[in-house]
Amino acid sequence: KAGVTQTPRYLIKTRGQQVTLSCSPISGHRSVSWYQQTPGQGLQFLFEYFSETQRNKGNFPGRFSGRQFSNSRSEMNVSTLELGDSALYLCASSFALVTDTQYFGPGTRLTVL
Amino acid sequence: DAKTTQPTSMDCAEGRAANLPCNHSTISGNEYVYWYRQIHSQGPQYIIHGLKNNETNEMASLIITEDRKSSTLILPHATLRDTAVYYCIVRGAGGTSYGKLTFGQGTILTVHP
């Protein structure tokens, strides 16, 4: 079974731009979670989607948003990019329940100049 | 979710068992202990999880104390490829835990030849 895939793997943007990252979950998985990883803050939860609905949200500003499609694929968007948004963005998928194991993708490395 | 405490770093000789401790003294009865590892800014890799009983899979063993206040991840025959940051996570079974893993700083395990 194929793992979680994320595109693109690397991205360079400038301040003020917006960016959209994509995540395809493991086949059959219906929940997709997003995380941000920076050297200073470590791995932090952004939000989780299940059946096209946001089910949980971390403590991030409204510039960070996401959505999930009917095929469980998910996108996250960051508007008005700031230098501090430079990070590794990770997507994880799980089957459905709150305690289902999450499997992570390789991440998208975003650099904001 | 309960907070976890792990040593900052540990060393292990190749071929020997690596025993990584985790303290989670405030764990609740319905909270699971999960272990992930992350190699070189790749996506975190799921290793194992448990609730009360000891668990074993092809990667590792998880020993949970009877009072559930601490646990140990055991890599039976460490190899150089096991050098990584290991995260111990306590995860709730409902409410705000949907899709969310709370990562701490983890333990940097270095396996030496």
Side-chain angles (χ1 to χ4, degrees), chain B residues 10 19 31 38 48 50 83 89:
Chain B
M10 295 182 66
N19 297 283
E31 290 180 321
Q38 189 174 27
I48 199 168
T83 294
I89 299 164

Side-chain angles (χ1 to χ4, degrees), chain B residues 18 37 43 65 96:
Chain B
R37 72 181 183 184
T65 58
T96 58

Side-chain angles (χ1 to χ4, degrees), chain B residues 72-110:
Chain B
T72 301
L73 177 73
I74 301 172
L75 307 177
H77 306 286
T79 71
L80 299 179
R81 288 177 295 179
D82 291 323
T83 294
V85 180
Y86 286 77
Y87 295 99
C88 170
I89 299 164
V90 170
R91 187 180 185 194
T96 58
S97 295
Y98 273 106
K100 174 183 177 182
L101 295 171
T102 302
F103 288 82
Q105 295 305 306
T107 295
I108 301 170
L109 175 68
T110 304

Side-chain angles (χ1 to χ4, degrees), chain B residues 1-5 22-33 65 67-71 88-92:
Chain B
D1 297 335
K3 183 176 171 58
T4 62
T5 303
C22 179
N23 182 284
H24 32 79
S25 59
T26 61
I27 193 170
S28 300
N30 64 350
E31 290 180 321
Y32 289 75
V33 179
T65 58
D67 64 7
R68 303 188 69 239
K69 294 184 177 182
S70 66
S71 60
C88 170
I89 299 164
V90 170
R91 187 180 185 194

Side-chain angles (χ1 to χ4, degrees), chain A:
Chain A
K1 194 182 272 191
V4 178
T5 58
Q6 293 187 245
T7 56
R9 293 293 311 279
Y10 301 91
L11 204 51
I12 299 176
K13 292 286 187 178
T14 56
R15 282 180 296 174
Q17 287 186 311
Q18 74 165 19
V19 66
T20 299
L21 312 181
S22 180
C23 171
S24 293
I26 292 170
S27 178
H29 283 192
R30 299 168 64 192
S31 169
V32 173
S33 297
W34 288 89
Y35 294 80
Q36 180 197 65
Q37 185 172 30
T38 60
Q41 299 298 318
L43 269 151
Q44 292 187 288
F45 172 75
L46 279 157
F47 31 63
E48 185 241 4
Y49 286 87
F50 173 76
S51 290
E52 303 177 64
T53 301
Q54 189 180 87
R55 194 162 60 169
N56 201 354
K57 188 178 188 309
N59 188 26
F60 278 82
R63 299 185 297 108
F64 293 82
S65 63
R67 60 177 176 170
Q68 186 180 34
F69 302 96
S70 58
N71 61 358
S72 295
R73 191 177 69 84
S74 177
E75 289 181 347
M76 70 161 282
N77 183 277
V78 187
S79 62
T80 318
L81 284 166
E82 302 176 358
L83 295 179
D85 297 333
S86 294
L88 180 67
Y89 289 89
L90 293 156
C91 164
S93 78
S94 61
F95 185 66
L97 299 177
V98 65
T99 53
D100 282 338
T101 298
Q102 291 186 28
Y103 296 91
F104 285 80
T108 294
R109 172 73 63 185
L110 171 65
T111 301
V112 182
L113 302 176

